[in-house]
Amino acid sequence: MHALPEQTRPLIRLRDYRAPAWRVETVELDFDLGIDATELSARLLLRRDPAQNAPLRLDGENLQLLSIALDGEALPATAYRMLDGTLEVDGARDGSVLETRVRLRPAANTALEGLYLSGSREAGFLLTQCEAEGFRHITFFPDRPDVQARYRVTLRADRDRFPVLLAGGNPDGCGELEGGRHWASFVDPHPKPSYLFALVAGRLDRIERDYITADGRPVQLKIWAEADVIDRCDYAMDALERSMRWDEKVYGRNYDLDVFHIVATHDFNMGAMENKGLNIFNAKYLLADPDSSTDDEYRHVEAVVAHEYFHNWSGNRVTCRDWFQLSLKEGLTVFREQSFSADMNSAPLKRIEDVSLLRRAQFPEDAGPLAHPVRPAQYSEINNFYTATVYEKGAELVRMLAGRLGEAGFRRGMDRYFARNDGRAATLEDFLTALGEANDIDLMPYLAWYGEAGTPRLKAQGHYDAARREYTLSLSQHAPGPANQPSRPPLPIPVKLALFSHDGEILPLRLNGESGDAPVERVVVLDQQQQQFVFSGIEQVPVPSLLRGFSAPMMLECSYTPAELALLLRHDIDGFNRWEAGQQLATRAWENLRDGADEHALQAWCDALAGLFDDATIDDALLADLLTPPGEIELAEGENAVDPQHIHELRQDLQRRLASRLGIDRLRSRYLALAAHTTIALDAASQARRRLKRRTLELLERLDPSTAATLAAAQYRDAPGMTDRLAALGVLLRSDVEAAQRALLDYRKRYAGNALALDKWFALQAQVAGDAALGRVMKLEQDAAFTLKNPNRVQSLLGGFVRGNPSGFHRRDGAGYRFLVERLRALDALNPQVAARLATAFNGWQRLEPVRRAAAKAAISDLAGQTALSRNLAEIIGNVLNH
């Protein structure tokens, strides 16, 4: 075993939680803002827990302490001490007032945590990012989510350099100062944790709209951005208003301040941040226009705007007691966001999108050395736990609870949860208790889901008794990990199901002993290790459709025949399960090619899709998804010795077989019919046509690269918007090198001043498969627009390569691994959070085939031997290497 670097040794454990010995009732912050140096005076009204006899300890990092006073008296150096990121002060009592003044260095802050500069010194602006532990980089404070205080903030700055001054809460005055300076004050009437503090100062333009909440409160909605992109914020404003109306209608939640600000920045480690009254957004999730944004990006803008707004209640008014409860706010809010997006768009397509992301990002995380429960038992660096497990799997657990309670029951439970915990820092136990009590159901058994790492398996087997006209469904659950591990109590698993006849008719579902009308779909709860469910009145051997809507985040094992999967693909009325049957059948078809075995599954998959290709009753976007087999990451999950290049080649062959079954003429004809309706409209039908047009062109490329390249070149030239333009460019990159180079040069020139469009240009090239990808990425690093200091640019090029290009990154010679290690060293010195996230690309290296596995281990070990790694990166590398 490799000894972990010293930076990873301190562990914070859930079992060690103690309520804070000192709380802060009110906070007064007074900023004198500057780019190179900002000075901050803080005044804290302290409250002591009489049950604890602990000295006053405040968190603080990278702060220059200028002065300190307690109850109006300056403290001598002997009355306080700073050690290991804490300030310990003698003599404090309940009701004491602590005053400090510190100096910050925003321009030197490349970690983008705390107060920092976004953009250039001449034109950029100051902003903050405090979640999870950034506030300790701003002032000395008990920087933990269960310390909630009321904030009064005053900002002072040069008016010409910082004409816009914003902070969380309601505005509480502004005015002029001598020397061309001005001030603005803000008061937040709601207690909040320090991670929700925010300020913004600089030259920004805005759009605004008046809004009246359902309970009659007038609110000013304002979106701020730099002048050259403010015209791309209108869609986000519309999305914000839709989100507010939806939350009022579905959850009864109204906004509670007089103003709601959103600010866009190109320099942000996260997607967006829900600071109370002052949301700060990575520009990629706020700016949108047809020329530079794809249909997917429009949906992402809508979803992220909604997500951050919904946090106003699920995260802000009710926050988490400690960071172990992170999914209480994030998993719940992702579920709320997903439900909103499903209502605004297509529910089946949204479910497919969400489960695809879960399998692409979270399932591999659960299967590798970085696996952890939704509520981890311990951590060293909390920033490393903003993961797919906490967010996406956490949302699936909330979805299970919502499905168990039904729409009305879940609403009753959420009403009780918000009412009981408003203004509090809550736990998962508080959440389950409120939901359960509101419905007279004990939901505490579901807590076990939050404490288990890995993806459990659901095994299903059916038996039909013709004489009794009964169908018995046997279900069993199996914990993740080795079969010989200690057993654990069974989880409660809601299994939504339906039965189909062999002519595709959905059958009534009557459990033995029931009378009256029988539903055609129902939920059974598997809460034992194995159970049987007997359905009566079944006239023939049925085909089960299980985990409909993905009712539980599990791997389903059921011995379907290819013909049965093809039947569900053709006839299931649940759009998600129709797609799911196609994914399972496509995986079987891929296995046919891998094993050189009979091709029954391959033929069944191709024949079923050929029969659906011209079916006018199928939504174009759903058909595009049905025509898309599982990705290389999902296919690799079923392999014991992963060879990414071989997986890529087999998947390409699989698509070629499908394209051949459909035929050049049908593909070309369908493409041209779709292209005849080219538009930039954002309605569902137009987006669906663009989606299917892209997929038909990609399949045509597999069969006839020359024809596909000709069509793609014309599509790129005539594209009215980014969706069509980017789809065409992707096909050209794989089919016609010369035409692709011309298009790339045109794109680079066209979008030279558009940072988000250039991110797509970098990412698309980084994701072109094969060994040549590494050389291409290294060449792109020399482009004048590339920088390691911008998280979006790093994720587009380096992230696109190491996470979005398995065959390119996992070169057999290990060059991709050595490249990543070198870039991680450089990134870690600039921005540890970005470095740590990029390092997760090494997750799962143990499952690579032997040659690649040895090369990956050597590269990881080399990095782990460094003594100067940040705590963020050291924890990831230590876990990857030693688990």
Side-chain angles (χ1 to χ4, degrees):
M1 300 291 285
H2 190 282
L4 297 185
E6 187 64 29
Q7 298 94 320
T8 68
R9 291 193 183 278
L11 287 176
I12 300 171
R13 295 180 172 88
L14 173 60
R15 69 175 186 234
D16 295 334
Y17 172 82
R18 298 290 183 275
W22 293 86
R23 298 182 184 272
V24 179
E25 185 172 307
T26 61
V27 184
E28 295 180 25
L29 302 177
D30 196 324
F31 288 85
D32 284 313
L33 295 166
I35 291 174
D36 289 310
T38 286
E39 293 192 5
L40 163 61
S41 295
R43 187 177 189 273
L44 313 182
L45 175 57
L46 302 169
R47 291 301 179 191
R48 181 176 183 171
D49 179 358
Q52 299 188 58
N53 185 25
L56 175 64
R57 292 192 182 97
L58 306 176
D59 301 299
E61 297 181 17
N62 302 316
L63 303 174
Q64 181 183 354
L65 181 61
L66 302 178
S67 65
I68 181 170
L70 185 66
D71 295 326
E73 298 290 332
L75 293 180
T78 56
Y80 65 91
R81 60 210 59 87
M82 290 185 288
L83 182 66
D84 295 331
T86 63
L87 171 66
E88 185 173 302
V89 181
D90 299 332
R93 55 180 176 75
D94 183 55
S96 283
V97 173
L98 181 71
E99 296 173 277
T100 60
R101 187 168 181 85
V102 299
R103 180 176 292 124
L104 315 175
R105 304 288 183 183
N109 182 1
T110 62
L112 311 187
E113 185 178 27
L115 178 68
Y116 65 94
L117 174 67
S118 174
S120 68
R121 297 177 61 85
E122 296 75 22
F125 59 97
L126 296 177
L127 73 159
T128 56
Q129 169 56 21
C130 292
E131 189 175 355
E133 296 176 340
F135 194 66
R136 65 189 61 190
H137 296 269
I138 293 175
T139 192
F140 293 102
F141 196 83
D143 191 14
R144 46 189 287 175
D146 56 354
V147 174
Q148 297 171 277
R150 288 182 170 84
Y151 283 69
R152 174 181 292 275
V153 179
T154 300
L155 308 178
R156 295 181 175 85
D158 179 84
R159 172 175 283 283
D160 180 63
R161 184 60 187 85
F162 301 104
V164 174
L165 300 175
L166 302 173
N170 291 322
D172 191 49
C174 61
E176 301 300 319
L177 297 169
E178 293 181 357
R181 291 165 59 78
H182 68 140
W183 65 274
S185 288
F186 303 83
V187 174
D188 192 338
H190 303 282
K192 65 187 177 187
S194 54
Y195 79 85
L196 291 174
F197 170 79
L199 74 80
V200 171
R203 300 188 188 105
L204 297 166
D205 282 10
R206 73 175 184 267
I207 61 172
E208 56 187 297
R209 184 176 298 177
D210 292 331
Y211 181 87
I212 305 294
T213 65
D215 61 357
R217 175 189 287 272
V219 181
Q220 289 184 308
L221 309 179
K222 300 183 180 184
I223 298 181
W224 302 81
E226 290 164 296
D228 61 335
V229 296
I230 193 65
D231 61 342
R232 297 162 60 192
C233 294
D234 293 316
Y235 184 80
M237 179 66 85
D238 293 340
L240 173 59
E241 186 165 0
R242 289 194 295 274
S243 305
M244 297 176 78
R245 290 295 177 214
W246 185 89
D247 210 22
E248 291 167 355
K249 176 183 177 182
V250 177
Y251 283 90
R253 300 297 108 190
N254 291 277
Y255 188 61
D256 52 8
L257 291 174
D258 301 333
V259 64
F260 186 86
H261 298 285
I262 300 178
V263 178
T265 173
H266 288 285
D267 299 290
F268 206 63
N269 286 336
M270 313 290 280
M273 182 59 212
E274 69 268 20
N275 313 299
K276 184 75 177 180
L278 178 54
N279 286 190
I280 297 178
F281 270 59
N282 187 322
K284 69 183 293 185
Y285 295 116
L286 194 70
L287 308 182
D289 70 288
D291 184 61
S292 58
S293 304
T294 65
D295 293 338
D296 287 345
E297 288 171 325
Y298 269 99
R299 288 193 297 275
H300 292 161
V301 166
E302 180 181 62
V304 177
V305 167
H307 180 102
E308 303 308 324
Y309 174 73
F310 297 155
H311 265 313
N312 187 58
W313 277 92
S314 52
N316 296 2
R317 289 284 289 263
V318 181
T319 193
C320 47
R321 185 195 71 179
D322 51 68
W323 292 120
F324 297 100
Q325 322 293 330
L326 179 58
S327 192
L328 179 61
K329 76 182 187 74
E330 295 301 347
L332 174 57
T333 305
V334 169
F335 170 73
R336 278 160 38 81
E337 162 217 315
Q338 290 174 348
S339 303
F340 165 78
S341 294
D343 286 351
M344 296 299 107
N345 301 282
S346 162
L349 291 174
K350 178 58 180 168
R351 195 67 187 122
I352 290 170
E353 176 187 308
D354 294 337
V355 175
S356 294
L357 175 61
L358 187 78
R359 289 176 174 164
R360 189 171 63 249
Q362 197 277 324
F363 276 23
E365 186 172 273
D366 246 352
L370 297 181
H372 60 87
V374 173
R375 181 165 73 176
Q378 61 187 36
Y379 65 81
S380 174
E381 173 51 64
I382 185 56
N383 286 315
N384 288 337
F385 280 91
Y386 284 73
T387 62
T389 295
V390 167
Y391 280 67
E392 275 67 43
K393 186 174 180 178
E396 294 299 319
L397 302 189
V398 176
R399 184 179 297 274
M400 279 201 309
L401 294 164
R404 174 69 178 84
L405 299 175
E407 184 176 343
F410 187 67
R411 171 63 189 271
R412 280 195 303 273
M414 288 303 301
D415 285 348
R416 180 166 296 193
Y417 171 68
F418 287 133
R420 179 177 291 174
N421 295 287
D422 188 10
R424 293 185 63 244
T427 65
L428 288 166
E429 286 84 353
D430 294 325
F431 179 60
L432 293 174
T433 298
L435 294 183
E437 287 183 358
N439 292 278
D440 295 321
I441 298 173
D442 180 13
L443 294 177
M444 293 311 290
Y446 283 86
L447 189 64
W449 275 97
Y450 287 91
E452 179 173 278
T455 306
R457 291 170 292 134
L458 175 68
K459 291 187 177 181
Q461 188 173 23
H463 173 73
Y464 179 66
D465 186 329
R468 299 174 64 89
R469 297 167 51 240
E470 290 180 348
Y471 177 73
T472 300
L473 178 64
S474 299
L475 299 176
S476 61
Q477 56 176 292
H478 302 268
N484 61 353
Q485 69 179 358
S487 61
R488 49 96 167 126
L491 299 170
I493 302 169
V495 180
K496 183 182 283 190
L497 62 95
L499 298 177
F500 286 83
S501 70
H502 280 269
D503 58 3
E505 293 295 319
I506 194 166
L507 302 175
L509 291 177
R510 179 177 289 108
L511 285 167
N512 252 1
E514 288 184 340
S515 59
D517 294 337
V520 295
E521 181 181 75
R522 68 188 306 157
V523 176
V524 297
V525 177
L526 173 65
D527 54 11
Q528 301 174 28
Q529 208 64 49
Q530 52 187 3
Q531 286 173 257
Q532 290 186 337
F533 301 89
V534 181
F535 300 93
S536 59
I538 306 297
E539 303 294 339
Q540 58 178 286
V541 181
V543 178
S545 174
L546 303 173
L547 287 180
R548 291 167 72 75
F550 206 59
S551 59
M554 309 188 71
M555 293 183 181
L556 174 64
E557 297 179 8
C558 183
S559 55
Y560 287 111
T561 66
E564 289 172 332
L565 289 172
L567 181 142
L568 294 175
L569 172 56
R570 290 193 303 268
H571 296 292
D572 203 325
I573 58 175
D574 182 307
F576 170 82
N577 268 55
R578 187 177 219 179
W579 170 82
E580 174 69 352
Q583 294 291 287
Q584 292 186 45
L585 189 53
T587 300
R588 298 267 196 95
W590 181 85
E591 291 169 350
N592 286 169
L593 296 175
R594 180 197 64 191
D595 300 337
D598 64 74
E599 298 185 351
H600 294 324
L602 178 60
Q603 183 175 342
W605 183 61
C606 292
D607 287 349
L609 290 175
L612 295 173
F613 190 70
D614 297 316
D615 187 342
T617 66
I618 299 179
D619 176 80
D620 284 345
L622 178 58
L623 179 58
D625 286 355
L626 295 179
L627 291 168
T628 305
E632 294 169 25
I633 293 174
E634 295 96 312
L635 292 170
E637 285 303 295
E639 300 291 285
N640 293 320
V642 177
D643 181 341
Q645 181 61 35
H646 189 51
I647 291 173
H648 170 73
E649 291 168 355
L650 288 176
R651 186 174 183 273
Q652 293 294 83
D653 189 27
L654 180 66
Q655 295 180 88
R656 184 186 61 78
R657 299 289 192 101
L658 174 59
S660 180
R661 177 65 179 83
L662 295 172
I664 291 177
D665 291 341
R666 289 176 77 189
L667 286 168
R668 188 173 186 276
S669 176
R670 188 63 177 270
Y671 172 83
L672 292 174
L674 292 163
H677 296 282
T678 296
T679 174
I680 59 171
L682 287 173
D683 61 279
S686 297
Q687 291 192 45
R689 283 194 294 269
R690 286 191 288 270
R691 195 163 175 165
L692 182 57
K693 179 169 64 174
R694 172 177 180 164
R695 188 62 191 137
T696 56
L697 186 59
E698 290 170 340
L699 288 170
L700 193 57
E701 171 207 337
R702 291 287 87 224
L703 203 57
D704 186 350
S706 178
T707 297
T710 299
L711 293 172
Q715 178 174 310
Y716 178 87
R717 182 192 66 226
D718 301 331
M722 181 57 79
T723 302
D724 281 343
R725 184 171 297 113
L726 209 62
L729 186 53
V731 169
L732 287 174
L733 280 168
R734 294 185 297 269
S735 60
D736 188 327
V737 175
E738 291 186 7
Q741 289 306 309
R742 290 193 296 271
L744 286 170
L745 289 172
D746 173 80
Y747 188 109
R748 181 67 176 81
K749 181 178 180 181
R750 177 183 184 126
Y751 294 108
N754 187 323
L756 300 182
L758 281 183
D759 286 338
K760 291 186 273 286
W761 183 80
F762 281 104
L764 195 64
Q765 295 177 78
Q767 292 171 8
V768 178
D771 283 356
L774 177 57
R776 187 182 309 112
V777 168
M778 295 177 73
K779 183 178 179 181
L780 286 167
E781 286 184 308
Q782 305 308 310
D783 189 285
F786 181 75
T787 173
L788 288 177
K789 293 183 178 181
N790 180 263
N792 285 354
R793 195 54 43 85
V794 170
Q795 297 298 348
S796 64
L797 182 60
L798 304 187
F801 174 58
V802 303
R803 284 196 291 264
N805 190 348
S807 66
F809 172 55
H810 295 284
R811 283 173 43 145
R812 201 166 188 272
D813 63 4
Y817 310 139
R818 294 189 293 274
F819 167 80
L820 177 56
V821 164
E822 289 303 314
R823 296 306 177 271
L824 289 175
R825 287 192 180 104
L827 267 171
D828 198 38
L830 294 170
N831 192 322
Q833 287 189 44
V834 173
R837 291 193 187 104
L838 203 62
T840 62
F842 281 126
N843 188 43
W845 67 271
Q846 296 94 332
R847 293 176 48 246
L848 293 167
E849 54 78 26
V851 173
R852 289 178 172 86
R853 184 165 65 243
K857 182 176 183 180
I860 300 167
S861 297
D862 178 51
L863 182 59
Q866 302 296 306
T867 59
L869 297 184
S870 69
R871 187 172 61 192
N872 305 64
L873 183 58
E875 181 178 40
I876 294 295
I877 293 301
N879 287 341
V880 163
L881 188 60
N882 291 322
H883 286 73

